[in-house]
Amino acid sequence: MKNTDLIPVFLGADLNCYNFARAFHEAYGVVSYAFGRYAMAPTKYSRIVKFTIVPDIDNETTMLRVLRDFAAKHPGKRLYLFGCTDDYAAMIIRRKAELPEYIAPGPAAGLYGSIQKKAEFYEVCDKFGIPYPATRVLTAPAAADALTAAALGFGYPLIVKPSSSVDYWKFPFDGMKKVYTAHSPEEAAAIVRQIYDSGYPDKMILQEMIPGGDDHMRVLTAFSDQNGKVRAMCLGHTMVEEHTPHGLGNHAAIVSEDTTALPLVENIRQMLEACHYTGFSNFDIKWSGKPGDFRVFEINLRQGRSNYYVTAAGLNIARLVVEKWSDGGSDCVLNRNEVFWHHVPAKVAFTYTEDKKLAAHAQGLKAQGKEACSLLYSPDLRLNPLRTACVLEQLRRQFKKFKIYYPKG
């Protein structure tokens, strides 16, 4: 169904952007517009995303100018605005009051500071009985003797990561990773010092390592309307994740599951509504291996990069925004449909998923036609040889990436 009144606008050009643009195209037949610092493979040569390079779009003054100019050129249209990375989402949240031409689903600026950063988010989790891994928060470099297992209350190896990912990526350095693993107090102290030496200004997190591989991970996506009511939730069981230094933890393949089966769903819904959260939220969760023991790692204040697993399961995320954002309703749909989603070749997902029962289940879903690959969208590939070649090359490269970076047992 073509809707000429509606225009989605994205900051970013990554897989997150393409997944969301595809949802809008499927639902309403519309082309999306995107702005970013540079072109990225997931949206290259696409007919459903019109991308414009703006080298300093990460400057808030530039962002406001670009978005206001775009709005001025499209008077009378319903403009929906989304950030596709943490920093773009943060910019929109901070400045959306200055962009009244746009509908920008997302939390209020005041709420951003209290839950975006991991250390503060864990304080909120405590209030709602939401478990997370044992954690120690640092505000400055620490000596190795202050980071022993006895001093921390949990052992090595452990996880080291910045509390604020938005601030972290603003201070690049050689060997930068999304998440670090430390095997000794000396290694933990060195990682923390290196990050602070880069200029990173916020807290650091040292965290108990929850056992289990990628297949122990879960992802929960929620959508809350403008009144703060949670209107939809969708649970995904991660099959395998990316393991490149910058992509570590990004989902590569997911099987959507019965959302009601996750014990934390009601706690998370209550937390979101008590905070009067609005827009998409995305939670990284890990099962410890013990019955019913799930630990929340973080909240992303936006739709996740792998958001097409939600659309593929039957909850088109574009429809959630357009049809439930301001309808005044209170119903909440908890997805129960199972679908195999992947953005790497299915063979890669089946080969590297350590839980072979899960891999076999995904193969069964594929055989039933309950499968979706983000980039294999026929309306964007048909009679579009450049796009087709680009997509096939992206998929081909995944075989080498996993061979190089996937941890050896």
Side-chain angles (χ1 to χ4, degrees), residues 137-158:
V137 178
L138 300 181
T139 56
D145 59 8
L147 302 179
T148 63
L152 295 174
F154 48 91
Y156 286 82
L158 53 74

Side-chain angles (χ1 to χ4, degrees), residues 12-323:
D14 63 356
L15 185 67
N16 190 326
C17 175
Y18 191 80
N19 280 331
F20 212 162
R22 177 174 170 176
F24 269 105
H25 192 263
E26 287 182 7
Y28 303 110
V30 297
V31 170
S32 297
Y33 291 77
F35 301 92
R37 287 174 293 165
Y38 44 80
M40 298 185 73
T43 48
K44 269 188 177 179
Y45 311 117
S46 173
R47 289 184 181 140
I48 68 169
V49 181
K50 292 187 177 181
F51 177 69
T52 301
I53 295 176
V54 182
D56 61 339
I57 191 71
D58 55 342
N59 176 292
E60 294 189 6
T61 301
T62 301
M63 177 196 74
L64 291 172
R65 174 181 56 78
V66 168
L67 292 176
R68 286 168 178 163
D69 287 349
F70 184 87
K73 293 174 182 175
H74 298 87
K77 301 293 185 181
R78 282 187 296 158
L79 305 177
Y80 289 87
L81 178 62
F82 308 93
C84 295
T85 63
D86 289 335
D87 54 343
Y88 285 142
M91 289 167 62
I92 293 170
I93 291 167
R94 286 194 295 266
R95 308 302 292 267
K96 66 179 179 179
E98 300 168 62
L99 294 166
E101 307 93 337
Y102 291 85
I103 299 168
L111 181 60
Y112 172 82
S114 65
I115 61 174
Q116 179 269 328
K117 297 176 181 179
K118 297 176 184 65
E120 286 75 8
F121 171 60
Y122 296 146
E123 293 177 6
V124 176
C125 285
D126 284 334
K127 298 177 182 178
F128 292 91
I130 299 172
Y132 53 90
T135 296
R136 173 77 175 271
V137 178
L138 300 181
T139 56
D145 59 8
L147 302 179
T148 63
L152 295 174
F154 48 91
Y156 286 82
L158 53 74
I159 299 298
V160 182
K161 55 189 176 183
S163 177
S164 174
S165 59
V166 171
D167 290 326
Y168 173 65
W169 293 109
K170 293 178 181 177
F171 300 92
F173 55 87
D174 290 343
M176 195 176 196
K177 298 180 181 179
K178 187 175 179 182
V179 177
Y180 301 80
T181 301
H183 294 84
S184 67
E186 292 74 19
E187 187 176 6
I191 293 169
V192 171
R193 179 166 295 280
Q194 181 183 35
I195 292 172
Y196 275 123
D197 284 350
S198 75
Y200 171 73
D202 212 293
K203 298 172 183 175
M204 287 294 301
I205 302 291
L206 272 63
Q207 200 163 67
E208 167 194 19
M209 180 178 282
I210 305 298
D214 295 352
D215 53 283
H216 278 225
M217 294 298 300
R218 305 292 190 275
V219 54
L220 179 70
T221 300
F223 175 72
S224 304
D225 65 22
Q226 67 173 1
N227 297 317
K229 287 289 184 183
V230 177
R231 305 297 302 278
M233 303 178 86
C234 186
L235 177 67
H237 187 159
T238 304
M239 293 177 61
V240 70
E241 297 178 343
E242 294 180 33
H243 285 267
T244 58
H246 281 209
L248 186 65
N250 288 336
H251 307 111
I254 292 171
V255 171
S256 61
E257 293 188 331
D258 182 352
T259 306
T260 64
L262 181 70
L264 304 180
V265 163
E266 183 60 20
N267 304 63
I268 290 173
R269 186 191 66 79
Q270 290 177 5
M271 180 200 73
L272 290 170
E273 294 192 347
C275 292
H276 203 73
Y277 189 96
T278 54
F280 285 100
S281 53
N282 181 260
F283 299 83
D284 290 331
I285 303 168
K286 191 170 187 180
W287 177 52
S288 72
K290 300 175 183 177
D293 185 16
F294 292 87
R295 308 291 180 92
V296 173
F297 285 177
E298 65 180 346
I299 180 175
N300 295 301
L301 311 189
R302 53 175 172 79
Q303 70 287 349
R305 181 174 177 271
S306 56
N307 64 72
Y308 197 79
Y309 90 90
V310 182
T311 298
L315 288 174
N316 183 297
I317 66 169
R319 288 197 179 278
L320 291 177
V321 170
V322 174
E323 297 169 23

Side-chain angles (χ1 to χ4, degrees), residues 373-388:
C373 179
S374 288
L375 299 177
L376 297 180
Y377 185 42
S378 58
D380 206 11
L381 298 176
R382 192 180 303 120
L383 302 178
N384 190 352
L386 283 176
R387 174 69 184 173
T388 300

Side-chain angles (χ1 to χ4, degrees), residues 15 239-242 251-254 305 340-353 356 359 362-363 366 371-376 388-403 406:
L15 185 67
M239 293 177 61
V240 70
E241 297 178 343
E242 294 180 33
H251 307 111
I254 292 171
R305 181 174 177 271
F340 165 46
W341 168 85
H342 53 105
H343 84 85
V344 298
K347 185 177 180 180
V348 169
F350 300 148
T351 299
Y352 289 92
T353 297
K356 295 309 174 186
Q363 287 176 308
K366 177 179 171 64
E371 173 201 23
C373 179
S374 288
L375 299 177
L376 297 180
T388 300
C390 182
V391 165
L392 293 178
E393 178 62 13
Q394 288 179 69
L395 295 175
R396 185 190 68 80
R397 289 184 179 184
Q398 295 294 343
F399 288 95
K400 184 176 181 181
K401 281 186 180 180
F402 273 80
K403 188 174 182 179
Y406 194 82

